[in-house]
Each structure stands twice: as C-alpha cells, then as structure tokens.
Amino acid sequence: MRDLLGGKGAGLAEMTRLGLPVPPGFTITTKACHAYARSGRYPPGLWKQVEVGLAAVEAKIGRRLGDPAAPLLVSVRSGAKFSMPGMMDTVLNLGLNDATVDVLARSSNDRFAWDAYRRLIAMFGRIVKDLDGREFEALLERHKEAAAAKKDTDLSAEDLKRIVAEFKGLYRERVGEEFPQDPKDQLTQAVAAVFRSWNGKRAVDYRNFNKIPHDLGTAASVQAMVFGNMGPDSGTGVAFTRNPSTGEKQLFGEFLPNAQGEDVVAGIRTPMTIAQLRDSFPAVYGELADIAGLLEKHFRDVQDIEFTVERGKLWMLQTRTGKRSARAAVKVAVDMAREGLISKQEAILRVEPMHVVHLLLPQFDERAKASARKEGRLLARGLNASPGAAAGFASFDPDEAEAMGRDRKKPVILIRVETSPDDVHGILYAKGVLTARGGATSHAAVVTRGLGIPCVAGCESIVVDYDQSEFRVGDKVVRRGDFVSIDGSTGEVYEGRIPTIDPDFRKEADLQMLLQWGDKERRLQVWANADYPRDAERAREFGAEGIGLDRTEHMFMEPDRLDVVHEMILAAPGYRKVSAEVRALKSEIESAKQGKREALEKRLASSKSVQEELAGRYLGSLEKLGRLQKKDFIGILRAMQGLPVIIRLIDPPLHEFLPKYETLLVQVTKLTLARGNPDILVAHARSEEEQAFIAEVREAGGGDLARGIDALLPKKQRLLEAVAATREANPMLGLRGCRLGITFPEITEMQVRAIFEASCALAKEGVVVKPEIMIPLAGHVNELKVEREALESEAKRVMEREGIQVPYKFGTMIELPRAALTADQIANHAEFFSFGTNDLTQTTFGYSRDDAESKFLLDFVERGILPFNPFQTLDREGVGQLMRMCVQKGRKVRKDLEIGICGEHGGDPSSIELCHELGLNYVSCSPFRVPVARLAAAHAKLRNEVTRTEDR
Ligand code: ADP
Ligand code: MG
Ligand code: MG
C-alpha cells in the first residue's frame, strides 16, 4: 500500500480506517506520478477519478470546490514510500479566489480568510511557479514593520487584504499572468507541481544520501483543509509519541496557537510545549494522548504525528515512524520489548549499528556545553554531517593542518568554505572539519564520514576569509590558532575548548541489555584487537571473547625500548653476514689442505671475534627485549583469563623502528656544516622540530653546542648508514612479515620464547592461558612451513625446560591473494587463519592505502568510480571472493580450522555481515567497536534468517 499511496497517504488511510478524526480526502497514486514524469501529462482517465474523489469529499463536508455559497478548500500533499520530511512540496488552501475569500470572511472571520489567501498565493507562486519565496517574505516583513506588528498574528484583516493585493501584483509581475482564479485550475497545477517535486534538487540529494531509489515516485493526497489559523482556540502542532532524543515514554512536541501548517516548526513565533498544551487545552490534550497511544500500539513503533486544532476540535493530519537519536533508539527498543509490544529480535533489529557507534563516540561534556551556551559561545549551527565531537586549533589551510596534526600532534579543526580532493591531506590529520557551504553529500561530508572524523558542513552563517585566516559570525571573529569546538552529531559550532568525554559503556544499561539479547542470537564471536593489557581489559568490558590481534611491534616502539631496538636492528644485518662467513670458513677448513688451513684459521679467528662483538649487541639486545616482551605477554594473557589470545609476530619492515632517512640526512648535513661554526645551527632554527634538534645537540655536549656537534655527528652518521641499508623501494612489499623472521630468525625466536615463558609462568600460577601464535604475510606454503617448524621447536624447548605444557596454536594471516588461492596447502601447516583484510585489500587492488587515500581514492568514491572506500567496507566482489575461496579450501583440508578477521573491517557492520555469510568463527575489531560488532553480528544472523523464511 505504501508503494502506491506513499507513506503519508497510507498513514492517512490507516488513521481513517481506525476511526480517528482525519479530514476527508483521497490519494492519487505513485503510478500517476510515473506516467506524468514520462509524458509530462496526466494519464488518461486520471482526472475523471479525481473528480469522483473530490465529489465524495464535497459530499462529506457539505461544501464544494469553488462554490460561491459554500466553498471547499483543499491541500495537495506529497508523500513517497519512504518518508522524506520537507524534501518535497505541499500546497495548502487551494480553492480560494477573490470570490471565495469573501464568503469565507463572512462565514468565519475576516482576518483568517485573508491570512489563508495570502498564504495560498505565496505558496502557489513558490511551489507551482518556482518563484523566490523570499520576495513574498520580504513584502510581508515590510507590512509588519509598517503596522508595528511584532508577530504575524498582530496583522489586521485590513493589513492582510493589502498584502494579498501586493502578493497578486508580485505574482503577476514575475509569472506574467494573473493568479489563477479557477479552483480546478489551481488543483490541476498543484498536483503537477507535487509530482515534479519528486525530481527537485533537494529531493534528489536526499535520496542519494539515504540510498532511496529514484524510481519510486511520489503520491499526491488531496485533502479537505482544516484551519489552525481561525483564532486563539485553534492552532497547529507536531508530536512524537515518545521523546525522540531520550526515548522517554512521554508525549513530546510543540503547538502553535492561531497558526497553519508548518508555522510551528518554521520558528515564526515561539510555540508552546505539549506539556503547556495540556494546561491550556486539556480536552484536546486528552484526546491527543489517547490517539498517540492507539497509534503506537497499532504501528508498534514511535509515531511522529501532525495535528491541527480548529476551534477546539482536534484533527489528525499525519502519522509516520518517528526518527530518533541513537539513545532513543536503544531505549525505545528495549522498553517496547519489555512492554511486550515487539519481540526481542525485533528490538535488536530496530537499533542500527550506527546508533551504537554514535552512542560510544566521544561527546562534549554536557555541563561544559551548557555553560558554553550560557556564556554565548555557541557561534553557529550547520549540518550534522559526520558524528562525534572534537575541539582543536582553527586552521584554514590543509597544509598547515597536516603539519600540525601529523608532525606536531596538535588537535586541529580544518575550516574551509567547502572542501575538494586537494584538501584531503589536511582532512586526514584533522580532528574535525567545518565548512561554510555544502550539504549532506558534499565532499567534506562524504570524506569525513568515510574516515570517521566529526564534521559540521554547510554552516552558512560563518564567513570564511582565507586571506586573513579567520572566520566571522556576526560580530565575532575566530582567527587561525584560536580554539574551536564542533559537534558533528548536532551541527553546533562553539568558540573555545569544550572538553570531550568518552562515554561510559558500563552506565549504558539499556544498550547492555539489548546486546545481551543479541549475544543469544548471533553465531559469530566478537574478539578484539588489543596490544596492551589495558586495551585487553577494556575489550573484555565491552564483551570481547578473545584477542584476535596483539601486535607485538607496538612493544618495540615504547620510548624506553627504542634504543635497545635500534641497537638490535643496527647489528642484525652485520651479524647475519659474519655468521654466514664463519659457517663458510668452517666448512672450507675441513676440506682444506694443510698449507692453506693456517691462513683460513686466522681469518676464522678474526671473523669469530667480529661475530662475538656483533652477537653481544644483536643477541644481547634481543635478550633485553625478550625480558620486556615476556612481561607484556604476561599482562595480556592474564587479562584475558583463558580466552584465546592471538599474538602476531613482528610484521612491519625494520626501518619503521628507525628514524626517518630524510630527517637523518638533514641532521647530518646540518651538523657537518655547523662543525666549527655552531651558530649556523641556531640561526635558522624556526620550527619546533628544529628547536628540539638543537636541544638534543646541546644535551649531547653536556650543555655545550660545539662539543655536542662533535659528539653527535659520528653517531648520526652511523645511524644514517644503517638506515640507508634498510631502505626499500617499496617497503609494503619488501622485507617484512614472515620474510623478516626467516631472514633474522633470532628475532621471532626471541618472541616465541617470551610468549611461552610467559604462558608457562602463568600456567604454574594456575591461570588458564591460550596463546595462538600468528605468522604474518605468508604467501607460499613453504614460508609458513619453515617458520613454523623453527618456532614450534623453540616453543617445545621452553615448555620442556619449564616442565609444564600449555595449549597453543600456530596459524597464519591471510593477507596475500596467493595465500587465499592456495589455502588448502597452507591449512596443512596452520591451525587457524586470520584475514588481514587491510593488506589483502591493498594487494588485491594493488593500492598502497596511505598513497591511495591521500591522493585519489576518496576522490574516486566521491565521483562514483568506486562504490565505497574498500578499506572501510569489504569489497565483496573481489576481496570477498578470495575470502570465500580461502574458507572453502582451508576447511576442506582441516575441518576445525579456526577462521577470523582482524582488519579494521572487523568493526564495520556490512563487512561483518559478509563474515557471517562466509561462516567465519569470529570478527576481531578495536575494543571500542566490540559493542557495534556484537549488534551487527546479531543483525547478520537475524536478517539471514528472515530472508531464508521469505524465500520459502
Ligand atoms: P511535509 O511532508 O513537508 O510535512 P505535509 O503534506 O505534511 O508536508 O504538509 C505541510 C503542512 O501542512 C503540515 O504541517 C501539515 O500538517 C499541513 N497540512 C497539510 N494538509 C493540511 C490540511 N488538509 N489541513 C490543514 N493542514 C494541512
Ligand atoms: Mg508533514
Ligand atoms: Mg598485514
């Protein structure tokens, strides 16, 4: 029914059927809209049917359209299958003309009749003839000023009569013909305009944004008018059956006496609250409350209703499912399930994963926000384009934003008139984005939503001045470097800093309840990615059932270990080389003749001493690191108390642990130039980095710059050489992952030793541990095979030495297409697979993510070349197909193969649905995403069930 009548028409029909007070009317279907769109004409026979419908309405009311004795007035209202509030058009008061306005004036009151007529002319001009509504507004304002009227209701009938005359004049001037006096003519034109509004820009944008198909079309409802502008005992209102922002079960809304249509939300006068309506119109309120309850029971969901009171009598004009905030969605779903209105499964499906994301995003501290408002720091309001709250330094330049955000780690809000692909490098490092122009599908909105950064877009009241690096709102100025705070969930922009708080999951009782219901439904487990014990603890609080990814390299990056790590990396290649030499010499000596042997022995001795020296540095550093890693592993394994913990061995290329080559090169050059002339160093130091470098030099010289230069230069030179030696043309595809462990086996052996020493120690204490060792980036089965064999023997050695056995698994990441394609071979050597979908997406598309996202990818998404960012949402057709093949091949060889996903996709609802379909065991995501993933996993299961029963 909604397909044909649209939501509004269907709602009106349903309310009429329930016996509620609805002004009589009928609906022209969406089919007619299609026909009209195709041919620009009404389909044959349509107008006959309209006449019949109209006659029925006329008979019910006892008035007729255009009848000079008893005129009927009607509205023509748009309404599509999915509600698109305010996006299409409606014309009120059709049927008024120079003759009927007099009749209406005589039979009711003068003021009201002329008020209705001026509204009709302006609305008709604006909607049917595309005139600029502001011209009518301006005329009205002028008359209000002349009459010293504060509000529209202060205008007298005489004022309004003059306004009508001027409106008609304006209409004639702009359209080139008189305002149509024939009510049938008005009606025909209005219906056509409503049909046309389906393809209006606003409507098209809205559909694009909300993914509503463009071929649905709108219906047009013709309905007898009721009047809220007949005097103080009349009015118009809107209400929600429950509070749409908190979800509380209480009628919530506004009522504006002596007003018509949208006046109540247009802000022309301050409306009264529904609570005040109860005091002023108790009978109306009582009836409204009863109807609200009835509608909610009938539709089994929160209703958003429109009503009008005409001389004390209540009329219902619309009902639809109420849009609601994240908080309200959760509360209403849980409450309604408890009230028995809906099932628990329905309650789960009523809450969108995005709602949970919103609820758990950082938000402004409500009290700080309230006081900011009181202090007048609310600067402006724009479109809530991407949720979350952020505060930072104002920057008007994407280069500066990038430098501040990335290099200086300062919070930045990037402010632009609008953004373009040229700004993306700045957006990437901003905490939030504010634009003066652009809607919900503007570049800024699309990009920030894709990146999960808060954004307020289309904030028209700010005037951005790039030359001055500032923006103005009224008489206020915000300059570059000033603090601003933006709330992407509400669209508010504040001056100064408002502290943000991370929401407290423990206090979200309704959400927890809902997720528990969902846990009983879902089949996928939800694990978390956590590198530190505190992350692991948080993950458990959020309901994680395991750790899917513990990245050990973060343990290398801690500042207090960096020196040890440098030492280890610098000595590793030399140690490897000299060890090979020693091996070669030894075998040469065995087969060498007596005479040659002596020389060889000498060389061996010298190589051995070099090896020893390097071993001290390399193996010595590894041992130190091993002790530290053991502590880390104890922490995380203890926090997870018997839940599986997947520990990934070192993965990134070694140079990521070293200073940047470019930085070192600059520093060495500077030091070389400044030798003997230390002032050069100081003379040109501007940036914070340069200042920091000078401080480092000074410290190296015990406070003396010249001495510092001499001391530091050779050190930096050595480092530069080592860094140069680890440099790669394409590190993403270079010496990393299991290739690293195969090349430098001592590093991964140290890690495995630490894992098993930690596990054995805990097991002796009686703590249950389940370590799973994950070998990254295997592409060929032999890579995995050699690595696993070496590491498993190390593990066994430790357990033997400790005299205790712990359960463990060895497995691998699937992040290269070749691994997915040969999953059957790989499964022979792996007890588990974990899809590393970030790398798998990179290698399947052949994109390097950082380069792609900062150079072209988001542009491709905006232009529709790519349907979405494949690093946010799994690409089903490509990457998904590899995953499907991998699961099938892997399980064929090993039936109980544990398979999960540990990329960022593990927290993305649509990717989670794919994981469910592929039959994975778990998804693993960041701790904050765990609640979202729990809900999304339940949705995936419930939705798949629904489609299955529908198929039958
Ligand atoms: P929208 O979809 O933008 O809400 P509507 O078709 O609901 O548009 O109409 C706009 C306004 O006019 C609403 O406030 C509605 O209640 C009011 N309205 C529509 N038809 C009538 C009518 N027949 N009598 C009185 N008010 C009406
Ligand atoms: Mg409406
Ligand atoms: Mg990877």
Side-chain angles (χ1 to χ4, degrees), residues 901-938:
I901 173 178
C902 65
E904 256 172 78
H905 294 106
D908 168 65
S910 122
S911 309
I912 291 172
E913 188 163 358
L914 177 64
C915 293
H916 172 89
E917 288 165 25
L918 294 181
L920 301 202
N921 299 90
Y922 68 87
V923 295
S924 185
C925 53
S926 89
F928 284 109
R929 279 269 166 172
V930 167
V932 182
R934 284 165 68 191
L935 183 68

Side-chain angles (χ1 to χ4, degrees), residues 226-238 254-264 269 272 277 281 284 306-315 317:
V226 289
F227 298 101
N229 53 339
M230 272 199 169
D233 56 351
S234 304
T236 172
V238 291
E254 290 180 324
F255 180 75
L256 189 64
N258 203 5
Q260 187 175 47
E262 245 117 50
D263 290 359
V264 63
R269 278 176 272 139
M272 52 170 84
L277 177 73
F281 299 84
V284 167
E306 286 175 7
F307 62 97
T308 278
V309 177
E310 180 180 307
R311 293 195 168 143
K313 163 141 184 58
L314 174 69
W315 292 97
L317 288 171

Side-chain angles (χ1 to χ4, degrees), residues 8 12 23-24 73-79 84-93 123 221-228 236-238 260-265 306-308 310 315-318 320:
K8 196 179 291 166
L12 288 169
L73 303 194
V74 296
S75 62
V76 176
R77 315 176 62 186
S78 53
M84 297 166 52
M87 295 300 133
M88 290 184 297
D89 293 321
T90 281
V91 189
L92 305 180
N93 305 332
M123 235 188 222
S221 297
V222 179
Q223 190 177 29
M225 286 298 300
V226 289
F227 298 101
T236 172
V238 291
Q260 187 175 47
E262 245 117 50
D263 290 359
V264 63
V265 287
E306 286 175 7
F307 62 97
T308 278
E310 180 180 307
W315 292 97
M316 299 305 297
L317 288 171
Q318 191 171 331
R320 62 181 164 212

Side-chain angles (χ1 to χ4, degrees), residues 12-13 15-17 19-27 51-65 70-74 222-226 313 315:
L12 288 169
M15 286 200 290
T16 308
R17 216 175 52 85
L20 301 183
V22 179
F26 58 91
T27 297
E51 303 259 351
V52 173
L54 195 61
V57 174
E58 290 175 333
K60 257 184 224 150
I61 304 262
R63 290 165 169 271
R64 295 180 40 227
L65 197 68
L72 170 72
L73 303 194
V74 296
V222 179
Q223 190 177 29
M225 286 298 300
V226 289
K313 163 141 184 58
W315 292 97

Side-chain angles (χ1 to χ4, degrees), residues 590-763:
E590 264 166 39
S591 56
K593 294 205 188 80
Q594 194 55 40
K596 238 182 157 191
R597 192 171 265 188
E598 219 163 282
L600 286 173
E601 298 261 2
K602 241 194 197 151
R603 273 174 59 201
L604 179 64
S606 96
S607 288
K608 268 190 164 164
S609 85
V610 175
Q611 187 190 29
E612 218 163 279
E613 190 261 333
L614 284 169
R617 283 167 57 201
Y618 177 47
L619 302 179
S621 308
L622 279 176
E623 207 183 291
K624 272 186 223 157
L625 283 175
R627 277 199 296 275
L628 295 167
Q629 290 225 309
K630 180 178 166 186
K631 266 193 228 145
D632 297 328
F633 294 136
I634 286 185
I636 205 154
L637 287 164
R638 193 195 294 281
M640 293 312 284
Q641 298 275 349
L643 295 176
V645 177
I646 296 189
I647 300 169
R648 181 179 71 183
L649 303 177
I650 187 166
D651 177 54
L654 290 180
H655 73 79
E656 277 195 17
F657 303 103
L658 297 171
K660 280 222 302 236
Y661 176 78
E662 290 78 6
T663 315
L664 278 172
L665 190 62
V666 170
Q667 290 183 346
V668 167
T669 311
K670 278 187 180 164
L671 291 173
T672 312
L673 288 173
R675 226 167 10 169
N677 190 1
D679 294 340
I680 295 184
L681 207 57
V682 188
H684 301 288
R686 296 261 146 61
S687 71
E688 276 174 42
E689 271 164 82
E690 287 165 320
Q691 300 289 355
F693 179 52
I694 292 175
E696 187 190 342
V697 179
R698 206 165 259 135
E699 205 189 301
D704 182 70
L705 208 53
R707 238 184 298 143
I709 292 171
D710 289 337
L712 213 52
L713 183 56
K715 258 173 86 182
K716 292 269 178 188
Q717 260 162 343
R718 257 203 318 276
L719 201 56
L720 178 66
E721 274 162 36
V723 171
T726 63
R727 268 182 114 200
E728 292 174 299
N730 196 340
M732 189 194 97
L733 302 174
L735 180 57
R736 53 170 292 215
C738 63
R739 307 156 195 174
L740 211 52
I742 294 170
T743 311
F744 300 112
E746 298 81 6
I747 304 181
T748 39
E749 272 162 20
M750 171 278 285
Q751 292 195 297
V752 167
R753 207 156 44 239
I755 294 168
F756 280 86
E757 283 174 1
S759 301
C760 292
L762 285 171

Side-chain angles (χ1 to χ4, degrees), residues 397-666:
D397 173 12
D399 296 337
E400 179 190 63
E402 180 186 28
M404 281 173 75
R406 186 190 56 196
D407 306 333
R408 275 178 270 152
K409 308 263 176 279
K410 288 220 169 111
V412 186
I413 304 293
L414 179 64
I415 303 164
R416 302 289 286 169
V417 175
E418 53 193 338
T419 65
S420 76
D422 297 335
D423 300 331
V424 169
H425 60 291
I427 298 176
L428 282 173
Y429 294 99
K431 288 269 177 257
V433 174
L434 168 64
T435 66
R437 274 211 299 267
T441 51
S442 62
H443 178 266
V446 173
V447 170
T448 49
R449 274 197 301 273
L451 295 168
I453 302 172
C455 174
V456 174
C459 194
E460 309 260 343
S461 58
I462 69 166
V463 182
V464 176
D465 183 340
Y466 289 141
D467 292 334
Q468 301 294 320
S469 286
E470 62 180 37
F471 76 78
R472 289 172 181 276
V473 209
D475 52 5
K476 290 213 166 152
V477 188
V478 173
R479 298 198 174 79
R480 163 173 177 251
D482 289 351
F483 237 85
V484 278
S485 303
I486 63 167
D487 189 334
S489 309
T490 62
E492 293 159 313
V493 180
Y494 290 89
E495 194 180 7
R497 185 199 306 251
I498 301 178
T500 51
I501 40 172
D502 294 329
D504 189 348
F505 184 67
R506 282 165 301 189
K507 290 191 188 136
E508 302 288 343
D510 287 325
L511 178 59
Q512 298 223 27
M513 180 84 296
L514 189 85
L515 292 180
Q516 278 167 27
W517 294 343
D519 292 346
K520 295 212 185 80
E521 303 291 339
R522 67 185 158 91
R523 205 206 56 226
L524 273 175
Q525 290 198 13
V526 177
W527 297 14
N529 301 347
D531 302 336
Y532 303 99
R534 62 170 184 279
D535 292 343
E537 272 155 29
R538 180 169 302 143
R540 287 200 65 180
E541 257 169 40
F542 283 135
E545 298 157 284
I547 299 294
L549 179 64
D550 173 5
R551 282 166 295 208
T552 49
E553 54 265 20
H554 286 197
M555 303 172 179
F556 284 25
M557 304 258 196
E558 303 267 301
D560 59 324
R561 308 176 181 184
L562 219 49
D563 278 344
V564 186
V565 172
H566 285 177
E567 186 69 18
M568 184 269 283
I569 295 172
L570 295 181
Y575 176 79
R576 180 161 172 266
K577 203 167 134 214
V578 76
S579 302
E581 249 171 56
V582 167
R583 265 197 310 278
L585 282 169
K586 274 187 181 157
S587 72
E588 223 177 306
I589 288 172
E590 264 166 39
S591 56
K593 294 205 188 80
Q594 194 55 40
K596 238 182 157 191
R597 192 171 265 188
E598 219 163 282
L600 286 173
E601 298 261 2
K602 241 194 197 151
R603 273 174 59 201
L604 179 64
S606 96
S607 288
K608 268 190 164 164
S609 85
V610 175
Q611 187 190 29
E612 218 163 279
E613 190 261 333
L614 284 169
R617 283 167 57 201
Y618 177 47
L619 302 179
S621 308
L622 279 176
E623 207 183 291
K624 272 186 223 157
L625 283 175
R627 277 199 296 275
L628 295 167
Q629 290 225 309
K630 180 178 166 186
K631 266 193 228 145
D632 297 328
F633 294 136
I634 286 185
I636 205 154
L637 287 164
R638 193 195 294 281
M640 293 312 284
Q641 298 275 349
L643 295 176
V645 177
I646 296 189
I647 300 169
R648 181 179 71 183
L649 303 177
I650 187 166
D651 177 54
L654 290 180
H655 73 79
E656 277 195 17
F657 303 103
L658 297 171
K660 280 222 302 236
Y661 176 78
E662 290 78 6
T663 315
L664 278 172
L665 190 62
V666 170

Side-chain angles (χ1 to χ4, degrees), residues 854-888:
S854 66
K855 296 269 168 13
F856 59 86
L857 178 62
L858 303 173
D859 180 43
F860 283 13
V861 174
E862 207 208 342
R863 289 167 59 188
I865 297 172
L866 290 175
F868 46 77
N869 180 351
F871 293 103
Q872 291 270 317
T873 298
L874 268 175
D875 155 47
R876 277 178 177 254
E877 293 159 12
V879 178
Q881 196 177 325
L882 282 171
M883 291 170 70
R884 186 182 303 273
M885 186 185 303
C886 177
V887 173
Q888 283 165 359

